[in-house]
Amino acid sequence: HRLNLSQEENNRQDKIAYSAKEPSELGIGSESHVRRMIKAGKIPVVKLGNREPIPANWVEENFQKPAAE
């Protein structure tokens, strides 16, 4: 079952954090590039045990797709 665009947008709005893989799927760069940026301190993360999710608000503020005109 595929989600339509509006459902995908709603899911993104409900997200509180992204894995390193998810921003790469949004076109920010490869997963390894995202991980290098995290390690260099250019992308903030929240330490949760062994996981380091990227706050969704940071992803949305820095890599939000332009609105359709």
Side-chain angles (χ1 to χ4, degrees), residues 1-14:
H1 177 233
R2 288 187 72 186
L3 296 174
N4 67 33
L5 185 58
S6 62
Q7 287 174 321
E8 288 177 10
E9 289 172 350
N10 284 339
N11 289 344
R12 271 191 224 125
Q13 291 173 356
D14 293 341

Side-chain angles (χ1 to χ4, degrees), residues 18-32:
Y18 288 86
S19 69
K21 183 177 182 179
E22 290 173 302
S24 68
E25 293 169 351
L26 296 173
I28 294 171
S30 68
E31 183 177 354
S32 60

Side-chain angles (χ1 to χ4, degrees), residues 13-52:
Q13 291 173 356
D14 293 341
K15 275 188 134 350
I16 59 170
Y18 288 86
S19 69
K21 183 177 182 179
E22 290 173 302
S24 68
E25 293 169 351
L26 296 173
I28 294 171
S30 68
E31 183 177 354
S32 60
H33 177 70
V34 171
R35 291 187 186 282
R36 282 193 301 273
M37 291 178 70
I38 291 170
K39 190 172 183 178
K42 294 181 180 179
I43 295 179
V45 293
V46 178
K47 191 81 166 148
L48 294 173
N50 292 333
R51 299 179 60 216
E52 294 184 326

